Each structure stands twice: as C-alpha cells, then as structure tokens.
Amino acid sequence: MTNVYSFDGILVFGLLFICTCAYLKKVPRLNSWLLSEKKGVWGVFYKAAVIGTRLHIAVAASCLVMAFYVIFLK
C-alpha cells in the first residue's frame, strides 16, 4: 500500500491524476463540463489533461516505471 504522504505516493497520485484527466478529455460531455475552465482551481484539471495528451509517451513510461517500483521494489 502506498502512503500518500511519502514522495513515491505523491508521484503515484500525480501520475494517476494526469492519466485520468487525459482520458476524460476524450469523453465529449465531460470535456465540456470539467475541462472548460483554463484558470483557477478547475484549471488544474485542464492543465493535467494537456500534460497527459502532449507528453503521453513520457507519462506512459513513467507509469510503467512507477508500477514496477511499487510492485517489485517497495
């Protein structure tokens, strides 16, 4: 179990958040509802979705490395 208050827990949370927002950007209803704001608190979802779509190869590689770390090394 990964603790959220440790450094690797924060990395896991960040990667899952970016992947989730990038996936929600592909759903039309959720894209217009959740990702329409580009500033403020709701803008974090939009920015995470942009990071997930533009850096999809790096995010996918980071997810694989983090999964290997959490499953086998921790």
Side-chain angles (χ1 to χ4, degrees):
M1 194 84 191
T2 305
N3 189 2
V4 178
Y5 298 112
S6 64
F7 182 68
D8 55 347
I10 292 171
L11 286 177
V12 168
F13 176 77
L15 285 171
L16 288 175
F17 183 72
I18 289 171
C19 292
T20 303
C21 288
Y23 176 75
L24 292 177
K25 190 173 183 179
K26 302 293 182 187
V27 179
R29 282 190 183 174
L30 293 176
N31 186 13
S32 63
W33 176 70
L34 186 64
L35 303 172
S36 61
E37 292 292 325
K38 295 181 176 146
K39 293 182 180 179
V41 176
W42 291 104
V44 175
F45 295 106
Y46 173 78
K47 292 173 185 173
V50 169
I51 290 171
T53 54
R54 290 187 183 170
L55 299 174
H56 62 277
I57 295 173
V59 171
S62 299
C63 286
L64 290 174
V65 169
M66 187 55 77
F68 180 79
Y69 171 75
V70 169
I71 291 173
F72 295 114
L73 299 177
K74 190 164 182 184

